[in-house]
Amino acid sequence: DAGITQSPRHKVTETGTPVTLRCHQTENHRYMYWYRQDPGHGLRLIHYSYGVKDTDKGEVSDGYSVSRSKTEDFLLTLESATSSQTSVYFCAISSGTGNYGYTFGSGTRLTVV
Amino acid sequence: AQSVTQLDSQVPVFEEAPVELRCNYSSSVSVYLFWYVQYPNQGLQLLLKYLSGSTLVKGINGFEAEFNKSQTSFHLRKPSVHISDTAEYFCAVSVINDYKLSFGAGTTVTVRA
């Protein structure tokens, strides 16, 4: 989507290696989120950020860490990738509480072999 | 905590027929409600949202949804579908004054000629 980009779009990695996914926004929105999408589960929140250096855990945060050193960038790191982390990862941004809506990136398809 | 249940995982429908996708939510406090659509290999796009006011909400592409507080439901409808409506549809909820979005598991709509 315009204003939010994810990189890489596709990645294959080996079990046990660290992986970092990047979300970049040009909207200057305060809130940023990382979700994972798996069949039968919809989207589940991994971590979110409510400002620079302000982050918190979502419902499926084990095995993941995040960092936000600038407003525009939100990084998701898989510290030691496992096959259960094979998924499609979406970043989202929001300017405020729920009524402002969320804009989603195009996703990163990660395969852990 | 809030949760969302989408009652149908797959909905096959013929072109020009009506479709209804069912969504129920659970929350002890007031919420905002959303429907998103995901076309194959794309990110999520907002179809419509309920924040307050009229319980019938109209969205893009001819979709509408009705908020029913007593039944804690937010069903999505379209009176006549097109082949291009083939996609996955997600219902989502956000607690008022919170900034996190919780999703249902999704409903796959397949429109056949």
Side-chain angles (χ1 to χ4, degrees):
Chain A
D1 275 27
I4 177 171
T5 55
Q6 293 183 232
S7 59
R9 291 295 312 276
H10 302 271
K11 185 170 182 66
V12 179
T13 192
E14 293 187 349
T15 299
T17 60
V19 177
T20 296
L21 309 183
R22 180 181 184 239
C23 178
H24 179 78
Q25 60 147 329
T26 58
E27 304 296 320
N28 200 35
H29 283 350
R30 177 180 176 187
Y31 300 94
M32 299 186 75
Y33 311 83
W34 278 107
Y35 286 88
R36 61 178 287 174
Q37 182 181 20
D38 303 289
H41 292 278
L43 279 79
R44 293 178 292 176
L45 183 64
I46 305 170
H47 280 281
Y48 61 98
S49 170
Y50 45 96
V52 174
K53 297 186 179 179
D54 291 324
T55 64
D56 206 348
K57 296 178 180 180
E59 61 181 305
V60 291
S61 60
D62 286 350
Y64 301 94
S65 62
V66 291
S67 65
R68 191 171 179 197
S69 58
K70 300 183 289 184
T71 297
E72 57 266 35
D73 289 324
F74 192 34
L75 304 181
L76 175 71
T77 297
L78 288 65
E79 294 143 8
S80 178
T82 68
S83 58
S84 65
Q85 294 176 311
T86 292
S87 187
V88 181
Y89 292 85
F90 284 98
C91 177
I93 59 175
S94 174
S95 59
T97 53
N99 56 319
Y100 291 100
Y102 300 76
T103 302
F104 284 82
S106 299
T108 294
R109 184 173 296 275
L110 177 68
T111 303
V112 183
V113 298
Chain B
Q2 69 276 18
S3 66
V4 179
T5 302
Q6 291 185 241
L7 298 169
D8 307 290
S9 60
Q10 301 207 22
V11 174
V13 58
F14 287 106
E15 192 174 21
E16 298 184 9
V19 70
E20 178 180 79
L21 309 184
R22 298 178 294 166
C23 173
N24 287 104
Y25 70 93
S26 173
S27 176
S28 58
V29 297
S30 296
V31 297
Y32 299 130
L33 293 156
F34 305 80
W35 275 100
Y36 282 85
V37 60
Q38 184 181 33
Y39 299 106
N41 299 311
Q42 295 188 26
L44 276 75
Q45 178 182 358
L46 181 66
L47 272 179
L48 48 78
K49 60 185 176 183
Y50 172 78
L51 305 179
S52 64
S54 172
T55 57
L56 184 62
V57 179
K58 294 190 182 296
I60 62 172
N61 299 340
F63 283 93
E64 63 181 32
E66 185 155 19
F67 170 59
N68 186 320
K69 187 173 182 179
S70 63
Q71 310 232 348
T72 61
S73 67
F74 190 53
H75 300 335
L76 180 71
R77 302 184 183 95
K78 185 170 182 177
S80 176
V81 297
H82 305 291
I83 298 290
S84 59
D85 291 321
T86 294
E88 190 159 19
Y89 293 80
F90 293 96
C91 183
V93 62
S94 175
V95 171
I96 291 176
N97 296 324
D98 193 7
Y99 37 77
K100 298 187 295 294
L101 202 56
S102 296
F103 287 86
T107 298
T108 300
V109 173
T110 303
V111 182
R112 302 169 181 169

